[in-house]
C-alpha cells in the first residue's frame, strides 16, 4: 500500500512514471563489454565500471574524474575492474553507495 501511494505521489509531482511490468528500466540494462566501453567518462560520456557482473555509475565520483581512476592510475572507466578492486586496499566497500545501472553480460 505504501509503495503504491509513493508511486502515485511521484507521478503526481512530475516524477518519472512507473514502468509497466517487464519493461527495462535504467538499473536493468545488460551491457556487453563492448557496450560498457562506450561509458568511458570522456567527451561528455558517463563513466561506468563493472565489478562482479554489476555495472556501477562512477560519473560523479571525484576519483574517476575524466574517466580515469586516481590515485591508482592506469584504470579507465568503461571496463570490468573486478580483479583490481579485489586487490585494492578498500575492497568492495567503495561500491556500496554507488548507483547501479545494470549488469555485465557473461561471455
Amino acid at each position: 500500500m505504501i509503495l503504491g501511494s509513493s508511486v502515485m505521489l511521484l507521478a503526481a509531482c512530475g516524477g518519472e512514471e512507473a514502468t509497466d511490468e517487464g519493461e527495462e528500466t535504467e538499473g536493468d540494462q545488460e551491457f556487453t563489454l563492448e557496450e560498457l566501453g562506450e561509458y568511458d567518462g570522456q567527451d561528455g560520456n558517463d563513466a561506468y565500471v563493472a565489478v562482479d557482473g554489476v555495472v556501477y555509475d562512477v560519473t560523479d565520483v571525484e576519483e574517476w574524474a575524466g574517466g580515469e581512476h586516481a590515485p591508482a592510475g592506469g584504470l579507465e572507466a568503461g571496463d570490468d575492474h573486478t580483479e583490481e578492486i579485489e586487490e585494492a586496499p578498500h575492497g568492495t566497500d567503495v561500491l556500496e553507495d554507488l548507483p547501479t545501472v545494470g549488469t555485465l553480460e557473461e561471455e
Side-chain angles (χ1 to χ4, degrees), residues 82-96:
T82 301
E83 290 181 26
E84 292 85 356
I85 200 150
E86 288 174 354
E87 297 171 1
H90 54 63
T92 58
D93 292 346
V94 296
L95 304 173
E96 292 177 4

Side-chain angles (χ1 to χ4, degrees), residues 47-103:
Y48 294 173
V49 298
V51 176
D52 290 327
V54 178
V55 178
Y56 296 91
D57 185 344
V58 294
T59 304
D60 296 326
V61 177
E62 185 177 329
E63 289 82 7
W64 282 97
E68 294 184 17
H69 188 288
L75 297 182
E76 296 179 354
D79 207 353
D80 184 346
H81 291 297
T82 301
E83 290 181 26
E84 292 85 356
I85 200 150
E86 288 174 354
E87 297 171 1
H90 54 63
T92 58
D93 292 346
V94 296
L95 304 173
E96 292 177 4
D97 294 328
L98 293 177
T100 59
V101 292
T103 57

Side-chain angles (χ1 to χ4, degrees), residues 1-96:
M1 184 70 162
I2 293 173
L3 179 60
S5 299
S6 298
V7 171
M8 289 175 36
L9 180 60
L10 180 62
C13 293
E16 292 184 28
E17 292 182 29
T19 59
D20 292 334
E21 193 171 316
E23 186 176 320
E24 191 172 279
T25 61
E26 187 174 342
D28 294 333
Q29 286 182 273
E30 187 172 47
F31 296 85
T32 63
L33 198 52
E34 184 178 338
E35 290 169 335
L36 180 63
E38 297 173 20
Y39 296 90
D40 60 3
Q42 298 180 18
D43 300 322
N45 294 328
D46 287 339
Y48 294 173
V49 298
V51 176
D52 290 327
V54 178
V55 178
Y56 296 91
D57 185 344
V58 294
T59 304
D60 296 326
V61 177
E62 185 177 329
E63 289 82 7
W64 282 97
E68 294 184 17
H69 188 288
L75 297 182
E76 296 179 354
D79 207 353
D80 184 346
H81 291 297
T82 301
E83 290 181 26
E84 292 85 356
I85 200 150
E86 288 174 354
E87 297 171 1
H90 54 63
T92 58
D93 292 346
V94 296
L95 304 173
E96 292 177 4

